[in-house]
């Protein structure tokens, strides 16, 4: 059933909201709990669809889960891990790409894993080849079946030397979750080092794993024979915090984001200020606001951490439609992430996308015919329109463009946003937005 929101735009968003644990960390920590012999306790857990999905998958594998939703505390007991029925796992096929991360833990606990066909946002080529290559390097056997992939380890898992062709977050997580209990030493080169990866390393270390991170993106893991449960408070969601910051900027608003964490957002904060936004930081969060005056155009290139995060790009592009002059955005992480700009043009924006690498150094997409650079001309008034959410981050971008636009917008498919934004509709209400489900 379609999920539709009617938005009356043109009103500044103002007020106080809270962000909890990161979507890009919490589900991975939940998967890590499979490796422990004793229960784990995870705090600061958001109420998002990805948490529900992983809870369902863990439950199918015999993990007992107790979730205090009000407190955001999740208890996971993996004492009775068992093989799940293929049909039950398959019923969740296409919901997310997270199930691929179950491989290593299930191989260690059960000797086999079945992974359904994977879904997730259609923002670019997100192959699982790096995941499967890493598992093979550990000694796993990968067999494609009609409805998914079956992975076994007939001779156990052993440490490996792995070099990723790109600092993939997912492949780094896969390697960590497999290496911590593999026999011997694993050396992972060209690893992702995002804050969410470092928090996963914190969790694994609490469980008894032996890991070290070098300054050249090399992670060394010495496998251990047993891990215990963990008690951990999840890192806050820096993507959601930045999304609300962009919403404040494009609506000429003033939003205090409780839970926003400066050290994880340094790169975003620099760009936010350069565009013309202002912020104030205290121990509990960050206040983001439009100080008045004209926003300024910028040249921006996304990159892996510590660069400007690709998930920050889409909401900020909406704000750049209101900046004076020509802004250039070069997307280097996902090749099709600029497809959402078509709907913004429908609302009055002037955005052109190009195959060339604009405004920065050539990237891996430059010779592959992908539209991965954008030129945004501004400022251009936005007007209401009927639009359909394409993916999670693009969906939130459509939402804030509707909130900034003059007139009424009808936004279809808004439930996609619930995958990564906790209680986003009630938060909009607290910020004074004129938006209601149809």
């Amino acid at each position: 059933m379609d999920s539709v929101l009617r938005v009356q735009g043109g009103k500044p968003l103002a007020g106080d909201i809270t962000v909890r644990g990161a979507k890009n960390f919490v589900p991975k920590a939940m998967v890590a709990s499979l490796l422990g012999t004793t229960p784990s306790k995870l705090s600061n857990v958001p109420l998002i669809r990805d948490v529900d999905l992983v809870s369902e998958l863990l439950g199918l594998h015999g993990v007992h889960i107790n979730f205090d939703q009000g407190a955001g505390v999740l208890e996971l007991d993996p004492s009775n891990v068992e093989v799940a029925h293929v049909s039950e796992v398959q019923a969740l096929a296409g919901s997310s790409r997270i199930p691929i991360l179950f491989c290593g833990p299930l191989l260690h606990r059960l000797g086999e894993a079945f992974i359904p066909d994977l879904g997730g946002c259609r923002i670019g080529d997100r192959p699982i080849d790096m995941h499967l290559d890493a598992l093979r390097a550990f000694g796993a056997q990968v067999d494609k079946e009609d409805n998914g992939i079956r992975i076994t380890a007939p001779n156990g898992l052993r440490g490996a030397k792995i070099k990723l062709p790109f600092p993939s977050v997912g492949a780094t997580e896969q390697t960590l979750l497999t290496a911590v209990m593999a026999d011997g030493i694993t050396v992972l080169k060209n690893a992702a080092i995002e804050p969410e990866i470092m928090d996963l390393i914190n969790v694994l270390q609490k469980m008894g794993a032996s890991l070290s991170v070098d300054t050249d993106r090399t992670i060394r893991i010495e496998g251990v024979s047993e891990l215990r449960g963990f008690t951990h408070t999840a890192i806050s969601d820096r993507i959601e915090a930045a999304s609300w910051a962009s919403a404040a900027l494009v609506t000429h608003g003033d939003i205090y984001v409780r839970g926003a964490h400066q050290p994880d957002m340094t790169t975003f904060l620099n760009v936010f200020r350069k565009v013309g936004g202002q912020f104030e930081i205290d121990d509990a969060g960050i206040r983001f606001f439009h100080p008045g005056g004209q926003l300024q155009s910028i040249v921006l290139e996304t990159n892996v951490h510590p660069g400007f995060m690709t998930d920050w790009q889409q909401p900020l592009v909406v704000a750049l439609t209101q900046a004076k002059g020509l802004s250039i955005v070069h997307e280097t992480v996902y090749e099709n992430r600029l497809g959402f700009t078509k709907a913004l043009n429908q609302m009055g924006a002037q955005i052109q996308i190009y195959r060339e690498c604009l405004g920065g150094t050539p990237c891996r997409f430059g010779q592959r015919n992908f539209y991965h650079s954008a030129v945004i001309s501004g400022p251009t008034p936005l007007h209401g329109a009927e639009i359909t959410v394409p993916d999670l981050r693009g969906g939130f971008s459509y939402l804030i463009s509707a909130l900034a636009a003059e007139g009424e917008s009808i936004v279809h498919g808004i439930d996609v946003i619930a995958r990564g934004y906790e209680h986003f509709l009630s938060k909009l209400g607290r910020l004074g937005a004129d938006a209601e489900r149809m």
Side-chain angles (χ1 to χ4, degrees):
M1 181 177 291
D2 194 13
S3 51
V4 185
L5 194 70
R6 178 189 288 113
V7 179
Q8 190 68 37
K11 184 177 181 181
L13 298 182
D16 184 324
I17 60 167
T18 298
V19 298
R20 291 204 279 191
K23 169 194 173 289
N24 285 356
F25 164 74
V26 169
K28 323 309 174 54
M30 294 170 66
V31 174
S33 72
L34 270 173
L35 293 163
T37 57
T38 57
S40 293
K41 182 177 180 180
L42 184 62
S43 300
N44 201 30
V45 176
L47 295 173
I48 56 175
R49 176 56 190 157
D50 276 12
V51 168
D52 294 338
L53 172 66
V54 176
S55 295
E56 291 179 57
L57 285 168
L58 289 172
L60 293 178
H61 289 91
V63 178
H64 178 73
I65 297 174
N66 181 40
F67 188 12
D68 183 339
Q69 296 185 353
V73 177
L74 191 62
E75 296 177 344
L76 309 105
D77 186 351
S79 302
N80 298 307
V81 172
E82 60 186 9
V83 176
H85 295 290
V86 170
S87 60
E88 294 178 322
V89 176
Q90 183 61 27
L92 298 173
S95 300
S96 171
R97 304 184 67 81
I98 294 173
I100 191 68
L101 296 178
F102 277 69
C103 293
L106 288 178
L107 287 173
H108 286 304
R109 292 299 303 270
L110 302 172
E112 65 175 299
F114 173 79
I115 306 302
D117 291 331
L118 300 175
C121 295
R122 305 303 181 187
I123 55 175
D125 188 20
R126 303 171 98 178
I128 62 171
D129 293 2
M130 283 189 279
H131 291 259
L132 300 182
D133 288 344
L135 290 165
R136 291 188 183 101
F138 286 109
Q141 180 175 316
V142 179
D143 297 303
K144 182 71 174 75
E145 298 184 355
D146 291 340
N147 52 1
I149 300 170
R150 184 168 299 281
I151 302 168
T152 56
N155 300 312
L157 298 173
R158 59 185 180 274
K161 292 183 178 180
I162 299 170
K163 183 176 182 179
L164 299 179
F166 179 78
S168 162
V169 168
T172 298
E173 293 164 339
Q174 181 74 257
T175 302
L176 292 173
L177 291 167
T178 306
V180 287
M181 290 184 66
D183 183 26
I185 296 174
T186 296
V187 178
L188 174 62
K189 292 184 176 293
N190 203 27
I193 54 170
E194 272 68 6
E196 296 81 7
I197 292 286
M198 302 309 295
D199 213 24
L200 180 60
I201 288 174
N202 292 339
V203 162
L204 294 170
Q205 190 175 56
K206 287 181 176 181
M207 298 178 76
S210 177
L211 313 93
S212 63
V213 183
D214 295 342
T215 56
D216 63 348
R217 293 187 176 274
T218 298
I219 302 177
R220 302 174 189 274
I221 309 104
E222 184 173 352
V224 298
S225 59
E226 185 176 296
L227 294 173
R228 57 186 175 271
F230 62 84
T231 298
H232 189 76
T233 298
I235 187 175
S236 290
D237 197 313
R238 61 193 176 120
I239 304 172
E240 183 180 0
S243 297
W244 290 113
S246 293
L249 196 58
V250 75
T251 66
H252 289 247
D254 188 334
I255 302 176
Y256 180 75
V257 182
R258 195 173 302 277
H261 191 220
Q262 179 192 8
D264 300 329
M265 300 184 67
T266 301
T267 304
F268 175 84
L269 295 174
N270 288 338
V271 172
F272 188 80
R273 180 175 280 162
K274 188 175 181 180
V275 172
Q278 288 296 325
F279 55 87
E280 296 175 353
I281 301 167
D282 60 33
D283 291 342
I286 304 176
R287 174 194 172 206
F288 297 96
F289 60 98
H290 192 307
Q294 182 68 60
L295 299 182
Q296 300 301 312
S297 58
I298 59 169
V299 176
L300 178 67
E301 185 171 83
T302 67
N303 211 330
V304 296
H305 188 76
F308 191 90
M309 192 180 192
T310 179
D311 293 295
W312 292 333
Q313 174 256 114
Q314 289 165 296
L316 188 66
V317 162
V318 182
L320 292 178
T321 66
Q322 305 308 303
K324 182 180 180 180
L326 295 179
S327 292
I328 297 174
V329 174
H330 181 206
E331 171 62 51
T332 76
V333 180
Y334 291 126
E335 67 272 27
N336 289 326
R337 199 150 215 176
L338 292 173
F340 79 105
T341 58
K342 182 178 180 180
L344 298 186
N345 285 339
Q346 180 186 342
M347 300 178 76
Q350 294 183 15
I351 305 173
Q352 293 180 297
I353 56 175
Y354 297 88
R355 296 184 179 94
E356 292 78 13
C357 299
L358 300 181
T361 56
C363 77
R364 59 199 175 112
F365 304 139
Q367 303 301 317
R368 296 172 59 191
N369 225 26
F370 294 118
Y371 286 94
H372 68 292
S373 292
V375 176
I376 304 120
S377 304
T380 53
L382 300 178
H383 55 76
E386 187 165 357
I387 52 181
T388 300
V389 166
D391 57 70
L392 175 60
R393 307 304 171 188
F396 194 89
S397 302
Y398 283 10
L399 185 58
I400 63 175
S401 63
L403 291 164
E406 290 297 328
E408 182 181 274
S409 293
I410 305 299
V411 187
H412 295 266
I414 61 162
D415 283 350
V416 172
I417 301 172
R419 279 191 55 220
Y421 293 86
E422 181 185 41
H423 298 318
F424 71 95
L425 289 177
S426 62
K427 289 177 181 177
L428 285 176
R430 288 199 296 275
L431 295 173
D434 186 351
E436 61 177 0
R437 279 188 180 270
M438 294 179 62

